[in-house]
Amino acid sequence: MIPLFTAQPSGKNMEDATSSNPQSIGFTEKLKSWLSWSWTYICAVWFAMVLTMIYVLRSPLKLQDTLTSASVFLNTLTPKFYVALTGTSSLISGLILIFEWWYFRKYGTSFIEQVSVSHLRPLLGGVESSTTTGLFSSVNGEAEPRPSVSECKVWRNPLNLFRGAEYSRYTWVTGKEPLTYYDMNLSAQDHQTFFTGDTQQLKPEDTGLNLSFSTVMQKAWRERNPQARIRAAYQAIEMNHECAAAYVLLAEEEATTITEAERLFKQALRSAGKDINLLVYIKRRLAMCARKLGRIKEAVKMMRDLMKEFPLLGMLNIHENLLEALLELQAYADVQAVLAKYDDISLPKSATICYTSALLKARAVSEKFSPEAASRRGLSTAEMNAVEAIHRAVEFNPHVPKYLLEMKSLILPPEHILKRGDSEAVAYAFFHLQHWKRAEGALNLLHCTWEGTFRIIPYPLEKGHLFYPYPGCTETADRELLPSFHEVSVYPKKELPFFILFTAGLCSFTAMLAMLTHQFPELMGVFAKAFFSTLFAPLGFFADKMESFMPSSFWHQLTRI
């Protein structure tokens, strides 16, 4: 098994190793480069030699007689044979086209191309495209640091909805499942991690009982069936009326209204004890309940108190909940204060941070902004700052503008998101579209300027402008997080692979030949003979020239040899 991480020599030892025998290393590299360069030419020479040998040995091999008999056989075939041949070719190429199209829609790449790159390219001496240099090499030739693995990490959606009160209602109305099994499985893992501390609040004599209902709750989070999870939660409550995790599950899964969910969360808060994970989770959900029920100032106070009480839990992104609530209050000064703390170069970014910053700067100039006037007089300093903020936000997540501009329909956000991906764009736009609409002219400014970002970063997968290059893993992860009825946004937009176009052309061409051969057999026969005689005319001309150039005795002696 090949280890993922291998120890590397220190800097001094590495320099000694490379400088100890530079001649051997240079010779090896030159030999490798020469072999890879000459491979194409060796194949061409070999192909030319094979053709020459076939021509020279045409008499001993009786190629002329074989071709004559083959042509006689083909002339005896009826047009029905050619109809069947072209029809079968069209059917096979059509099936390949359907499979290629399905594979491309599902995985974003061509199956034939993927197999060719993965299996045939190493056999032909090709190099892998995932080397440390190349895509991430700088101008001076040194390798820049690749994007960290955390850029492709899936994060908990800080504004995720309630399953019973919101996701389930959507399913009842539309009959569609808004959450994928992959997303729900990640949530089950989160809950098992968060809510394993109930044993700390009981007395030693109650430990055995606690372990039993804790096991029940562990099983409940793993259940796929919602009714099975709810039954397990009630079973845990029967075993211990103070099981806070069971009340959390009922608030998330069984409550059909936000008011009912809030009541169950308050019951869970009374039973949470000193379990920090439970306390933070419950208080956050209570604040979200207050926000959804219109008690926004109360929600803001709860979020601020939670951030003061647990300042080290910044990874939970509670500030994103606070930003959304403050925007609903139109407390833009408070929003700016929160951004000043969290929009720092040393802290991880998110679509909420970048686009909220762009919204505040756009709001300051958007009311009087006019594209025609700006093109005549140029952009003012404030307008330039707003445009740069929009470009920064679009570079971080290029999927958001289409949702904000309603060029693409929204769906319910998933419970987990991938930063810079379509899932994060859906989650941001679902909650913040109303705030952009409230700022007069902000969407107009976004509409006029967001596409200019792509001129700044013409090769986003290779080099970024303000951020790391755009991760290539987002499409695959988003397809797992978002439901199948949603068309995942892909950036940069992929063109149809060559093999899909090739199979489409082949299918159409062979189907046309089959139809024409069936309708006009004699005319197609004349056309086929004229086509092949024209096709092989250069070969006959080349053979005649070779025989006139080389003496017949030479060919005779070579044939005898």
Side-chain angles (χ1 to χ4, degrees), residues 536-557:
F536 291 108
L539 295 179
F541 176 79
F542 177 74
D544 294 339
K545 286 295 182 181
M546 286 192 65
E547 289 191 357
S548 62
F549 178 75
M550 304 294 286
S552 58
S553 59
F554 174 77
W555 292 117
H556 180 69
Q557 295 297 328

Side-chain angles (χ1 to χ4, degrees), residues 510-546:
T510 51
M512 182 184 66
L513 285 181
M515 183 183 66
L516 292 176
T517 306
H518 177 70
Q519 294 292 332
F520 311 103
E522 296 181 358
L523 181 62
M524 289 301 296
V526 174
F527 173 78
K529 291 179 181 178
F531 173 77
F532 284 109
S533 61
T534 306
L535 181 65
F536 291 108
L539 295 179
F541 176 79
F542 177 74
D544 294 339
K545 286 295 182 181
M546 286 192 65

Side-chain angles (χ1 to χ4, degrees), residues 30-218:
K30 289 181 180 180
L31 181 62
K32 289 181 179 178
S33 62
W34 183 83
L35 287 175
S36 61
W37 171 79
S38 61
W39 180 261
T40 305
Y41 300 98
I42 291 175
C43 292
V45 171
W46 177 82
F47 185 70
M49 291 176 62
V50 169
L51 291 180
T52 304
M53 291 299 296
I54 291 175
Y55 176 76
V56 170
L57 299 176
R58 66 188 187 282
S59 297
L61 295 177
K62 299 181 179 179
L63 294 180
Q64 189 68 30
D65 298 338
T66 304
L67 290 175
T68 303
S69 60
S71 62
V72 172
F73 172 74
L74 293 175
N75 289 330
T76 58
L77 294 175
T78 62
K80 292 183 178 180
F81 170 80
Y82 295 102
V83 173
L85 178 64
T86 53
T88 305
S89 302
S90 177
L91 176 63
I92 294 175
S93 57
L95 294 175
I96 295 175
L97 173 62
I98 294 172
F99 175 76
E100 278 283 297
W101 177 256
W102 169 83
Y103 195 88
F104 174 73
R105 297 285 294 178
K106 186 173 180 62
Y107 299 104
T109 185
S110 166
F111 175 78
I112 300 176
E113 182 179 345
Q114 186 179 22
V115 170
S116 302
V117 172
S118 302
H119 298 85
L120 299 181
R121 189 175 181 181
L123 296 177
L124 296 177
V127 295
E128 297 293 333
S129 59
S130 59
T131 53
T132 54
T133 58
L135 290 181
F136 300 98
S137 58
S138 58
V139 177
N140 57 7
E142 299 178 357
E144 293 181 356
R146 297 171 64 89
S148 61
V149 179
S150 62
E151 289 197 10
C152 299
K153 176 184 176 182
V154 175
W155 297 77
R156 182 85 176 177
N157 183 4
L159 296 169
N160 66 305
L161 305 177
F162 295 88
R163 285 193 187 178
E166 293 172 306
Y167 287 121
S168 296
R169 293 168 69 90
Y170 177 84
T171 304
W172 297 337
V173 173
T174 65
K176 298 178 179 179
E177 290 291 341
L179 297 176
T180 64
Y181 279 122
Y182 175 71
D183 193 12
M184 292 190 289
N185 184 52
L186 291 176
S187 297
Q189 296 176 17
D190 292 341
H191 293 148
Q192 292 179 69
T193 304
F194 290 159
F195 309 138
T196 55
D198 283 355
T199 56
Q200 298 175 1
Q201 64 184 0
L202 292 187
K203 300 176 182 179
E205 58 268 21
D206 297 332
T207 303
L209 176 64
N210 183 72
L211 288 176
S212 60
F213 75 75
S214 179
T215 304
V216 171
M217 288 307 302
Q218 290 288 331

Side-chain angles (χ1 to χ4, degrees), residues 148-427:
S148 61
V149 179
S150 62
E151 289 197 10
C152 299
K153 176 184 176 182
V154 175
W155 297 77
R156 182 85 176 177
N157 183 4
L159 296 169
N160 66 305
L161 305 177
F162 295 88
R163 285 193 187 178
E166 293 172 306
Y167 287 121
S168 296
R169 293 168 69 90
Y170 177 84
T171 304
W172 297 337
V173 173
T174 65
K176 298 178 179 179
E177 290 291 341
L179 297 176
T180 64
Y181 279 122
Y182 175 71
D183 193 12
M184 292 190 289
N185 184 52
L186 291 176
S187 297
Q189 296 176 17
D190 292 341
H191 293 148
Q192 292 179 69
T193 304
F194 290 159
F195 309 138
T196 55
D198 283 355
T199 56
Q200 298 175 1
Q201 64 184 0
L202 292 187
K203 300 176 182 179
E205 58 268 21
D206 297 332
T207 303
L209 176 64
N210 183 72
L211 288 176
S212 60
F213 75 75
S214 179
T215 304
V216 171
M217 288 307 302
Q218 290 288 331
K219 181 182 178 182
W221 296 121
R222 291 194 297 266
E223 287 285 352
R224 279 192 173 186
N225 189 346
Q227 296 303 319
R229 290 194 292 270
I230 293 172
R231 286 195 299 268
Y234 278 116
Q235 182 182 354
I237 291 175
E238 290 177 1
M239 301 173 67
N240 178 18
H241 293 290
E242 301 297 320
C243 182
Y247 289 111
V248 169
L249 189 147
L250 293 177
E252 294 283 355
E253 302 270 353
E254 189 185 37
T256 57
T257 63
I258 300 298
T259 303
E260 187 180 354
E262 185 180 38
R263 179 184 62 79
L264 289 168
F265 274 121
K266 288 180 178 179
Q267 177 65 35
L269 183 62
R270 289 192 291 269
S271 307
K274 297 182 180 180
D275 191 317
I276 295 179
N277 289 337
L278 269 171
L279 286 173
V280 172
Y281 185 90
I282 294 170
K283 289 184 178 181
R284 180 182 196 166
R285 296 303 262 177
L286 281 171
M288 294 176 68
C289 288
R291 162 69 182 90
K292 293 175 184 292
L293 294 173
R295 306 195 307 269
I296 305 174
K297 291 184 179 180
E298 178 186 344
V300 168
K301 183 179 183 304
M302 295 173 68
M303 292 173 191
R304 290 188 185 277
D305 293 343
L306 189 58
M307 293 169 66
K308 290 179 181 178
E309 187 177 358
F310 304 102
L312 300 179
L313 295 180
M315 66 185 71
L316 298 178
N317 298 322
I318 302 175
H319 59 275
E320 295 194 11
N321 299 83
L322 179 60
L323 284 172
E324 197 279 326
L326 290 173
L327 286 172
E328 181 64 22
L329 289 175
Q330 301 185 44
Y332 297 111
D334 293 336
V335 173
Q336 185 62 56
V338 176
L339 286 176
K341 181 178 180 181
Y342 290 97
D343 193 5
D344 187 83
I345 192 172
S346 61
L347 297 177
K349 299 294 181 291
S350 66
T352 301
I353 293 292
C354 296
Y355 277 91
T356 302
S357 177
L359 173 60
L360 292 188
K361 293 180 179 179
R363 175 181 167 273
V365 299
S366 59
E367 188 174 353
K368 299 180 180 180
F369 177 78
S370 171
E372 295 78 10
S375 61
R376 290 195 305 268
R377 58 174 171 80
L379 295 175
S380 64
T381 303
E383 290 173 339
M384 183 64 71
N385 292 335
V387 172
E388 289 177 354
I390 290 175
H391 286 176
R392 170 178 178 261
V394 174
E395 181 183 353
F396 182 83
N397 193 316
H399 310 284
V400 172
K402 286 190 176 182
Y403 294 107
L404 293 180
L405 298 173
E406 298 181 271
M407 300 166 63
K408 195 172 182 184
S409 59
L410 272 173
I411 61 171
L412 295 186
E415 293 183 336
H416 290 80
I417 59 174
L418 184 70
K419 289 190 175 182
R420 307 186 73 178
D422 191 33
S423 53
E424 184 191 34
V426 169

